[in-house]
Amino acid sequence: FDLDLTYITDRVIAMAAPAFGQHSAYRNDIYLMSRFFATRHYGSFLVLNLCDTADSSDGVIGNYHPQLLYGHVARVPFEDHGPPLLAEILHLCEHATAWLQKDPHNV
């Protein structure tokens, strides 16, 4: 898979935001990202969408189209182009920890 992502640990993946159409030339193609998760982590992944914009130009939440990612998307918005607040980091950590503790296969 040719995606801009990295495994921070065996269960934590960091990746660039997905895109549709012409924008996928410089961002992760949402369809390729969907195939990656379906192939490697089907049923046991959760994408924490950190995009601060609620709606993209095509009307989906920060380009993380829940239907293309099997409904495994949760929004934890951070303001773009600046450091997140400590409260936002804490919320992200709590959300991720809860997901990872549900099942040892969850990523």
Side-chain angles (χ1 to χ4, degrees):
F1 291 93
D2 186 18
L3 292 168
D4 181 9
L5 66 76
T6 188
Y7 282 83
I8 296 171
T9 71
D10 290 347
R11 300 180 63 206
V12 177
I13 302 169
M15 63 185 176
F20 295 90
Q22 66 184 1
H23 299 291
S24 62
Y26 56 89
R27 289 196 169 196
N28 285 333
D29 183 295
I30 187 69
Y31 299 104
L32 186 57
M33 184 184 291
S34 177
R35 283 196 308 269
F36 169 81
F37 282 112
T39 302
R40 304 254 174 109
H41 303 289
Y42 185 76
S44 62
F45 73 91
L46 177 65
V47 174
L48 295 174
N49 177 5
L50 305 181
C51 293
D52 67 337
T53 8
D55 295 311
S56 64
S57 57
D58 55 7
V60 296
I61 300 170
N63 283 342
Y64 289 91
H65 198 296
Q67 289 177 331
L68 293 176
L69 294 169
Y70 311 97
H72 291 244
V73 178
R75 195 156 177 270
V76 184
F78 284 14
E79 187 175 337
D80 202 9
H81 304 294
L85 301 173
L86 289 177
E88 293 170 332
I89 294 171
L90 180 61
H91 179 66
L92 169 66
C93 291
E94 290 170 343
H95 204 111
T97 299
W99 172 254
L100 293 172
Q101 288 179 339
K102 281 184 180 181
D103 188 299
H105 295 101
N106 282 356
V107 297

